[in-house]
Amino acid sequence: MDKYLIPESKEEIKNAFILAFSIIENLKKKDILLLTPTKNLMQLQGLVEILGENSVNRLRHNDVVVTKECILRLESLRTFTHSHNNSIIIGIYPSKTMFDKLDDSNADVIIAVPSIITPDVQQWIETWTPKIYSEKIKKMEKEFIGNCVVKKSLEHLTSMLKTRDTHDMMIRSDFGNGITVALFKFLEENNEEFDPISIRKWAVNNSWSSEEADILQDMSQKVFDGRRIRRSIPIWTEEDLKKWREECNE
């Protein structure tokens, strides 16, 4: 069992996901369990910033969230059992009780995400000598959306939706909604893979508000899941796709 520690910072939860997604590429089983003290939404705000409120609410109600990389599940200390064999467990804000459960689990990889270095955290470090999240791993953040064509298409979409005066995204309008849905359908039809959670993270780091990013993620998730969506304005062309691909090859 490999063990990692994410040092405390303003981006500790995000760093844990970057590390987990980089590790799971080399694991046979593709699932990540998020272990938290409780399922209280107020204590899950760090997850909301990364996954979006819709995904976190699904996890809180014992549903799974499927991404291109893996399957995500959420358990609290009260509901967690060792019977499920997990590839990666991310222990968020661990206490001694959580550390005991993590150490007794059957996971391939443990990632501990403490908010501060308490005596319990220090004891776990001294006992197991976990690998520490490093600057080298931080560089993976730039590749959070691994598909360059998807990034180029999102940049194109952003330029079309951003208002001149307020810089808000017109994604709630019929036009904005329609071309956004059409974009994800267009990408899928042309075998350009995308991941809704990664798309949300890209959006909040590129001028989109959290609420706008949630809407963007929700639209991409519906297309990703194969659900029927009526509102679609198919403006995207083969010329757009050719341009995005050429820019990625420069």
Side-chain angles (χ1 to χ4, degrees):
M1 180 191 294
D2 292 327
K3 293 182 171 68
Y4 294 84
L5 180 83
I6 306 295
E8 55 184 299
S9 72
K10 293 181 180 179
E11 299 184 328
E12 55 210 11
I13 304 294
K14 180 175 76 173
N15 292 340
F17 273 93
I18 294 169
L19 175 59
F21 284 170
S22 69
I23 292 172
I24 208 162
E25 292 178 359
N26 300 314
L27 298 181
K28 187 174 181 179
K29 193 174 181 182
K30 308 291 187 182
D31 71 85
I32 297 175
L33 172 66
L34 307 171
L35 182 59
T36 58
T38 72
K39 291 186 179 181
N40 186 299
L41 188 59
M42 289 298 293
Q43 295 188 0
L44 300 177
Q45 288 307 303
L47 287 177
V48 171
E49 292 177 9
I50 303 300
L51 303 178
E53 190 167 344
N54 289 340
S55 292
V56 171
N57 279 328
R58 288 172 59 189
L59 292 170
R60 289 177 65 228
H61 291 91
N62 301 319
D63 198 356
V64 299
V65 171
V66 180
T67 75
K68 185 177 61 132
E69 290 86 0
C70 66
I71 296 173
L72 291 172
R73 297 188 303 112
L74 175 69
E75 297 284 354
S76 68
L77 284 177
R78 185 178 64 81
T79 61
F80 176 72
T81 67
H82 298 137
S83 59
H84 190 85
N85 187 18
N86 303 281
S87 297
I88 297 176
I89 300 179
I90 301 178
I92 299 174
Y93 308 145
S95 59
K96 185 180 185 306
T97 301
M98 184 182 291
F99 277 128
D100 290 343
K101 288 181 178 290
L102 292 172
D103 295 340
D104 291 339
S105 72
N106 297 317
D108 297 314
V109 177
I110 296 294
I111 301 175
V113 191
S115 57
I116 58 173
I117 302 298
T118 63
D120 290 333
V121 174
Q122 188 60 44
Q123 182 179 2
W124 190 76
I125 293 172
E126 293 172 0
T127 302
W128 298 106
T129 316
K131 300 173 185 178
I132 308 297
Y133 180 87
S134 66
E135 290 299 321
K136 181 179 180 180
I137 295 172
K138 263 190 176 182
K139 293 178 182 177
M140 298 175 187
E141 178 179 355
K142 294 181 179 179
E143 301 303 323
F144 209 85
I145 293 183
N147 189 332
C148 177
V149 173
V150 174
K151 283 189 281 190
K152 292 296 181 182
S153 72
L154 289 173
E155 290 170 1
H156 192 162
L157 177 70
T158 300
S159 68
M160 294 185 68
L161 294 183
K162 185 181 292 185
T163 60
R164 293 181 181 179
D165 298 330
T166 64
H167 299 292
D168 292 334
M169 301 297 166
M170 296 185 296
I171 196 166
R172 296 176 185 82
S173 68
D174 289 342
F175 174 75
N177 191 299
I179 68 170
T180 302
V181 169
L183 174 62
F184 293 123
K185 288 183 175 181
F186 181 70
L187 291 170
E188 185 179 58
E189 289 166 0
N190 286 280
N191 300 313
E192 296 292 347
E193 295 184 348
F194 58 85
D195 169 45
I197 290 175
S198 299
I199 284 172
R200 184 188 186 279
K201 180 194 174 292
W202 180 91
V204 295
N205 284 279
N206 287 273
S207 304
W208 294 65
S209 71
S210 295
E211 186 177 353
E212 292 165 346
D214 285 341
I215 298 171
L216 184 69
Q217 179 189 4
D218 185 56
M219 290 181 178
S220 64
Q221 187 71 56
K222 287 177 180 176
V223 175
F224 183 86
D225 292 341
R227 285 181 269 174
R228 293 184 65 184
I229 310 173
R230 292 182 179 180
R231 294 181 180 178
S232 179
I233 303 176
I235 67 167
W236 309 100
T237 67
E238 292 298 324
E239 285 299 314
D240 292 320
L241 183 63
K242 181 180 178 182
K243 179 183 178 183
W244 300 333
R245 287 174 172 171
E246 288 176 348
E247 289 176 352
C248 288
N249 291 326
E250 289 179 353

